[in-house]
Amino acid sequence: MITAAYVHIPFCEHICHYCDFNKVFLKNQPVDEYIHCLLEEMKMTMKDNPTDQLKTVYIGGGTPTALSAKQLDILLKGMRDILPLETIQEYTIEVNPDSIEEDKLEVLKENGINRLSIGVQTFNESLLKEIGRTHNKSSVEDAIKRSRQAGFSNISLDLMFGLPNQKPVDFLATIREAIALEVEHLSAYSLKVEEKTVFYNRQRQGKLTLPPEEDEVIMYEQLLKETKEAGFIQYEISNFAKPGFESKHNLVYWNNEEYYGFGAGAHGYVGGIRHQNHGPIPKYLQAVKNQVLPALSRHEVTSVERIEEAMFMGLRKIAGVDFDQFEQRYGRPLDGCFKQQIEHLLERGLVEIQGRSLRLTKEGLLLGNEVFEQFIAVLEEQ
């Protein structure tokens, strides 16, 4: 049974220089029409692939809080009428520090949102300008204060390291300032320069100065040290939580479980098929108006692909991949599928076996991609 759903809001009031998610400038966009079609897509999906209960919903973007309070209310009330949200455990929405007014917080709270993910990235104001963000340190503090006053007790901050001209001392200050805000969860990702971004164009022109790899390693090690000392538990390569506040929705991805994906450009995994929706808003709207699910592409995941995904997603978790659960789920023993690969990685000190789990070592956390690629294109379909 599918217990998770992702909802995409592609509208932004400004475009960050690193972002490659499906997004458009908010101004002059058919926002009300989009909300209507988004709800229609949910209705069609529930008719074709119903579920009895959802445990997690994540509304991302784009910038969901770029919508007005009224638009948010229409969306969330509409979702409540369509989706089985009575059993929801974690209901997250992404927010920007400078677009989360009190009326919006009230709407979110009234409609059952119980977790906020705030895009901070850095507290260094010159770096904020460098990456195209419009908020500042005080607006983050204000956003958290208003969120607490509105009754939110589960707040996550998103941080980034490896930013242009960022030094380890800059990131250390950001980590400490984030911890000082006493939030329940932190995510911290290394910058990846993606195509179709401002940074990609600058890099091609030789105008993007990124930190050396050794500085990125230092930043990540600082992250591990500071979060541990502050009482956060690292449960995934880039995610840290106070006990009991691990992201249930993201664990659906890392556990390679199925989920609905709604909205322009959204990805979903339903009935063994991964799909991606049309990204351009006009194409998405037209498909839904024609009462057709707006999938641009569909791919039936093979048994080998499922196993590969289980490895490179599961090893992101600090708990790693459980031998018994793997065999029960995929019908093949883990050490039978990847005996040579596991032995090689054990010799290199990049993985370890603890109890009945294969997991990354501290060195493996730093070289995760090298580990993951060991499990790709190894098996043959049976």
Side-chain angles (χ1 to χ4, degrees):
M1 180 190 301
I2 300 176
T3 61
Y6 173 78
V7 181
H8 192 70
I9 307 298
F11 307 111
C12 290
E13 293 169 299
H14 61 277
I15 303 296
C16 301
H17 296 167
Y18 54 83
C19 181
D20 73 327
F21 294 119
N22 190 47
K23 77 281 182 187
V24 293
F25 281 112
L26 176 67
K27 189 175 181 181
N28 299 323
Q29 292 294 330
V31 181
D32 293 334
E33 185 179 1
Y34 181 81
I35 293 172
H36 172 76
C37 287
L38 187 54
L39 295 173
E40 286 297 312
E41 181 194 1
M42 293 178 191
K43 290 178 185 176
M44 287 190 285
T45 300
M46 289 299 104
K47 182 179 178 181
D48 290 349
N49 293 283
T51 185
D52 292 336
Q53 60 177 349
L54 285 177
K55 294 180 180 178
T56 73
V57 173
Y58 191 104
I59 304 176
T63 310
T65 49
L67 304 185
S68 68
K70 181 179 179 181
Q71 289 167 336
L72 283 168
D73 195 43
I74 292 171
L75 171 64
L76 296 173
K77 279 187 169 58
M79 288 172 58
R80 195 166 58 195
D81 290 338
I82 301 165
L83 305 176
L85 301 181
E86 298 81 7
T87 54
I88 199 160
Q89 298 174 4
E90 182 184 276
Y91 199 169
T92 305
I93 191 168
E94 292 180 351
V95 304
N96 266 9
D98 49 5
S99 65
I100 188 62
E101 295 85 2
E102 291 177 7
D103 58 342
K104 295 181 185 179
L105 285 168
E106 185 177 340
V107 165
L108 300 182
K109 192 67 178 176
E110 286 178 354
N111 284 282
I113 299 289
N114 59 21
R115 183 174 184 268
L116 304 180
S117 178
I118 303 178
V120 174
Q121 317 317 345
T122 176
F123 286 98
N124 182 310
E125 300 205 356
S126 64
L127 280 177
L128 284 169
K129 292 178 182 177
E130 178 85 13
I131 65 178
R133 302 289 286 180
T134 59
H135 69 267
N136 54 36
K137 176 184 174 181
S138 63
S139 61
V140 175
E141 294 170 346
D142 289 344
I144 293 175
K145 181 180 178 181
R146 290 195 301 272
S147 299
R148 295 299 193 198
Q149 290 172 343
F152 288 95
S153 57
N154 190 353
I155 297 176
S156 176
L157 302 185
D158 283 348
L159 308 177
M160 296 181 72
F161 61 97
L163 299 173
N165 301 307
Q166 188 180 38
K167 303 289 191 295
V169 66
D170 298 322
F171 187 57
L172 180 60
T174 281
I175 300 168
R176 289 177 173 172
E177 290 185 70
I179 289 171
L181 291 171
E182 298 184 336
V183 295
E184 288 71 32
H185 189 280
L186 294 173
S187 296
Y189 292 94
S190 171
L191 172 69
K192 296 291 184 291
V193 179
E194 305 284 0
E195 290 187 25
K196 300 179 182 178
T197 64
V198 172
F199 278 171
Y200 180 76
N201 291 332
R202 288 184 182 174
Q203 188 176 59
R204 292 184 63 190
Q205 297 166 5
K207 297 179 180 179
L208 190 69
T209 305
L210 298 176
E213 186 175 328
E214 53 267 32
D215 278 4
E216 279 202 50
V217 171
I218 292 171
M219 292 182 209
Y220 186 66
E221 291 175 337
Q222 290 173 335
L223 175 67
L224 301 185
K225 177 177 181 293
E226 296 292 324
T227 50
K228 183 177 181 179
E229 290 179 357
F232 286 84
I233 296 171
Q234 183 185 19
Y235 67 103
E236 191 266 351
I237 289 178
S238 302
N239 285 267
F240 308 79
K242 291 295 178 68
F245 288 93
E246 297 86 353
S247 171
K248 293 179 175 66
H249 184 82
N250 284 341
L251 282 166
V252 168
Y253 303 146
W254 299 321
N255 289 328
N256 202 27
E257 297 171 4
E258 295 191 347
Y259 60 94
Y260 299 109
F262 302 117
H267 294 252
Y269 185 20
V270 177
I273 297 174
R274 291 194 181 274
H275 78 267
Q276 179 182 359
N277 281 349
H278 285 289
I281 292 175
K283 288 189 176 182
Y284 172 83
L285 297 178
Q286 190 59 52
V288 177
K289 287 176 187 175
N290 291 336
Q291 288 294 294
V292 175
L293 285 172
L296 169 66
S297 62
R298 290 184 175 88
H299 172 70
E300 185 171 353
V301 182
T302 67
S303 60
V304 165
E305 287 170 335
R306 289 177 67 220
I307 289 173
E308 291 175 345
E309 291 171 353
M311 296 306 296
F312 64 73
M313 297 298 286
L315 283 172
R316 290 191 63 89
K317 298 180 299 177
I318 300 306
V321 178
D322 183 276
F323 283 84
D324 299 326
Q325 291 177 2
F326 181 95
E327 185 168 1
Q328 182 179 14
R329 186 171 181 184
Y330 301 106
R332 302 169 71 172
L334 175 56
D335 47 1
C337 291
F338 300 112
K339 186 175 187 295
Q340 291 182 347
Q341 290 73 25
I342 292 172
E343 289 177 352
H344 173 68
L345 292 168
L346 286 168
E347 289 175 4
R348 291 185 61 191
L350 299 181
V351 299
E352 61 186 0
I353 296 175
Q354 283 206 351
R356 292 292 294 161
S357 290
L358 180 72
R359 50 179 284 179
L360 297 178
T361 60
K362 184 177 180 181
E363 183 70 18
L365 290 173
L366 298 171
L367 299 171
N369 288 336
E370 287 189 30
V371 175
F372 304 151
E373 67 185 17
Q374 293 294 313
F375 301 98
I376 306 300
V378 173
L379 301 178
E380 295 182 0
E381 294 290 344
Q382 290 185 344

